[in-house]
Amino acid sequence: MPRMGLALAFVLLLSGCASHSSLVIQPYRELTIEVPDKMFSSVKMRDDELLFLRNDRIVGFVKSEDIPSSVSSGSAIDTSLTLFESASQGSIKPVWIEQIPEAQVFGVVQGEFRTVFIVPNSQAQSLITFQGPTESSTSLRINGAKILE
């Protein structure tokens, strides 16, 4: 189901984004991700993810997946706290991204790449992951809000 939603959102919104400065992806009705077009020159669909390419080289992705029932809970806040704690066990510490409407969001920057983890408030069993170059992902918007870390 997440794969179909991601593919459908891409197909429906691609034509409307040709003249804009970002690609709008809507994996769920309550969630939009605006990816700046300066980040990529083409897009490719693979399994449950949208790949961003620049000169035929993968530079980022957006992926939608179900969270295992052992991790997800009844609320997006609890689910994202569990995921955040798990991510905190690594060497690169995650940071909460505040002020994103209708979603719980945190991310990490490692080297030249930023990874953002999104749990929509209405879909506590779903995880949307974005990864892209740090310099161009600063223009990333989630539900209209620019990410600030």
Side-chain angles (χ1 to χ4, degrees), residues 64-112:
S64 177
E65 59 190 313
D66 291 331
I67 299 171
S69 59
S70 60
V71 176
S72 68
S73 69
S75 77
I77 293 171
D78 292 341
T79 299
S80 60
L81 283 171
T82 301
L83 294 170
F84 185 88
E85 289 170 7
S86 178
S88 296
Q89 303 303 313
S91 60
I92 306 296
K93 301 301 179 201
V95 175
W96 286 106
I97 300 172
E98 304 291 332
Q99 309 299 323
I100 305 297
E102 302 300 321
Q104 305 303 310
V105 183
F106 65 92
V108 296
V109 173
Q110 183 173 13
E112 297 178 15

Side-chain angles (χ1 to χ4, degrees), residues 5-6 9 13 24-34 62-64 100-105 116-123 126-130 141-145:
L6 192 58
L13 297 172
V24 179
I25 304 165
Q26 189 173 15
Y28 297 101
R29 186 172 37 136
E30 311 81 15
L31 181 68
T32 58
I33 303 167
E34 298 173 50
V62 170
K63 181 177 182 177
S64 177
I100 305 297
E102 302 300 321
Q104 305 303 310
V105 183
V116 178
F117 302 94
I118 308 161
V119 179
N121 287 349
S122 65
Q123 300 287 330
S126 299
L127 174 66
I128 310 299
T129 306
F130 164 86
R141 291 185 178 273
I142 301 170
N143 287 344

Side-chain angles (χ1 to χ4, degrees), residues 25-55:
I25 304 165
Q26 189 173 15
Y28 297 101
R29 186 172 37 136
E30 311 81 15
L31 181 68
T32 58
I33 303 167
E34 298 173 50
V35 181
D37 67 357
K38 65 183 176 183
M39 191 179 104
F40 60 91
S41 57
S42 63
V43 179
K44 184 185 286 187
M45 198 61 195
R46 181 179 70 188
D47 298 324
D48 291 338
E49 58 189 348
L50 212 78
L51 302 174
F52 303 109
L53 296 99
R54 187 181 302 141
N55 302 323

Side-chain angles (χ1 to χ4, degrees), residues 1-15:
M1 180 66 168
R3 178 176 151 184
M4 179 60 101
L6 192 58
L8 181 60
F10 171 69
V11 170
L12 291 175
L13 297 172
L14 181 61
S15 63

Side-chain angles (χ1 to χ4, degrees), residues 125-147:
Q125 72 285 355
S126 299
L127 174 66
I128 310 299
T129 306
F130 164 86
Q131 186 175 76
T134 304
E135 86 277 350
S136 57
S137 65
T138 57
S139 299
L140 180 73
R141 291 185 178 273
I142 301 170
N143 287 344
K146 189 171 182 178
I147 63 166

